[in-house]
Amino acid sequence: MTVTIPHHIGPYPPGHAPSAERPLRLCARALEADTMLLAHRHDWGQVTLALSGVFRVRVPGSSWTVPPLRAIWIAPHVEHEVTVLEAATLCPLWVHAARAPFAGDECKVLSVSPLLRELVVALDHCAPGPREDLLAGLILDELAGAATRPIRVPLPRDKRLQALCERLITEPSNTLPLARWAPQVGASERTLARLFEQELGMSFGQWRQQVRLAHAAPLIARGMPMAQVAAELGYSSQSAFSAMFKKMYCSSPSEFFAA
């Protein structure tokens, strides 16, 4: 059963917003699978990482599935919704807008270095004072240099395309061709193909590959054998999955998801 946490209540204590004096605030929280934080926005930026577990972030027009050893940057004022896919210990870092490590309002999936992870853990156990200031400065510096990963799934506005995309997000192993989807969503194959290019900037096949990559991330992070990951995502073999992956990202899955 999904547990929703309304945005006007939130899972974090009041008075925890970052300020010019304390530009980085953290409140780690253990959340059960299927917990959902309804759509909301902040005056500050947010970097959310999971010390364990997997979560999904949605903003208007995009979705990201974030496994352990990854984090996501959400810029100030960007509306976002969070769903916990596997029981997780989430560590949201709230960043004062003046100290944002990235320009613009684009979300970014970040690699979490061992140093960054340990700094976050230390900050969670730190009282206000000079040590907190030092840790915050180091974390902000480490964030600015973090590698980014293209694990984004663009989402459509057209309702017919929405119905198709939602099905494939929940069923990534589905191999039905676009022609078979057309009568199910009330549009011709030609119309759907045009909508994918117009609204999502890619073909149906390319978009489905993005969805499968997003689902692969938590499976690989959990240590699932690559052959089983390929089967879970509807590929006929591990080599077929790896070939697709290398074509899109110029690296093997194990290299791409390496810590």
Side-chain angles (χ1 to χ4, degrees):
M1 181 179 68
T2 300
V3 177
T4 58
I5 301 177
H7 65 84
H8 61 277
I9 297 174
Y12 309 110
H16 207 71
S19 63
E21 295 73 26
R22 299 178 70 188
L24 191 67
R25 305 297 304 276
L26 167 66
C27 184
R29 187 69 178 260
L31 297 174
E32 295 299 320
D34 295 327
T35 300
M36 177 183 291
L37 280 67
L38 298 180
H40 61 289
R41 66 184 76 206
H42 310 295
D43 293 333
W44 52 85
Q46 177 172 314
V47 175
T48 299
L49 63 94
L51 297 181
S52 62
V54 179
F55 63 99
R56 177 183 295 141
V57 172
R58 287 197 180 196
V59 304
S62 295
S63 171
W64 292 263
T65 299
V66 186
L69 304 180
R70 295 288 181 268
I72 186 166
W73 162 252
I74 303 167
H77 310 294
V78 172
E79 183 178 85
H80 56 284
E81 174 186 286
V82 179
T83 303
V84 179
L85 303 181
E86 296 181 2
T89 299
L90 293 188
C91 291
L93 295 161
W94 291 354
V95 183
H96 192 264
R99 299 292 300 276
F102 305 103
D105 59 4
E106 180 183 348
C107 293
K108 300 177 184 293
V109 173
L110 313 172
S111 293
V112 177
S113 67
L115 173 59
L116 179 56
R117 185 186 186 281
E118 293 306 316
L119 288 171
V120 169
V121 171
L123 183 66
D124 188 40
H125 295 87
C126 186
R131 178 176 170 79
E132 182 189 61
D133 297 339
L134 290 171
L135 288 171
L138 285 170
I139 289 172
L140 290 170
D141 185 67
E142 191 72 5
L143 285 172
T148 60
R149 296 297 188 187
I151 312 179
R152 171 180 174 264
V153 176
L155 300 175
R157 297 183 302 275
D158 184 273
K159 291 185 177 180
R160 295 163 296 180
L161 214 57
Q162 285 177 1
L164 189 165
C165 290
E166 288 295 336
R167 280 282 303 277
L168 283 176
I169 286 173
T170 57
E171 303 172 19
S173 61
N174 192 306
T175 59
L176 285 179
L178 194 58
R180 294 281 300 277
W181 283 107
Q184 296 188 41
V185 299
S188 68
E189 178 184 6
R190 184 176 180 179
T191 296
L192 290 176
R194 175 175 52 82
L195 287 171
F196 267 100
E197 294 289 352
Q198 287 182 349
E199 293 207 5
L200 303 178
M202 61 185 72
S203 69
F204 167 67
Q206 291 170 328
W207 185 86
R208 182 160 58 184
Q209 287 175 344
Q210 289 288 89
V211 170
R212 288 173 170 176
L213 171 61
H215 280 268
L219 301 180
I220 294 171
R222 289 203 303 266
M224 181 179 288
M226 208 62 68
Q228 189 175 345
V229 173
E232 289 272 344
L233 299 179
Y235 288 92
S236 57
S237 65
Q238 177 181 339
S239 59
F241 171 64
S242 296
M244 177 281 298
F245 201 101
K246 287 182 180 179
K247 182 179 179 180
M248 291 185 68
Y249 298 104
C250 301
S251 69
S252 69
S254 57
E255 292 170 343
F256 185 89
F257 289 107

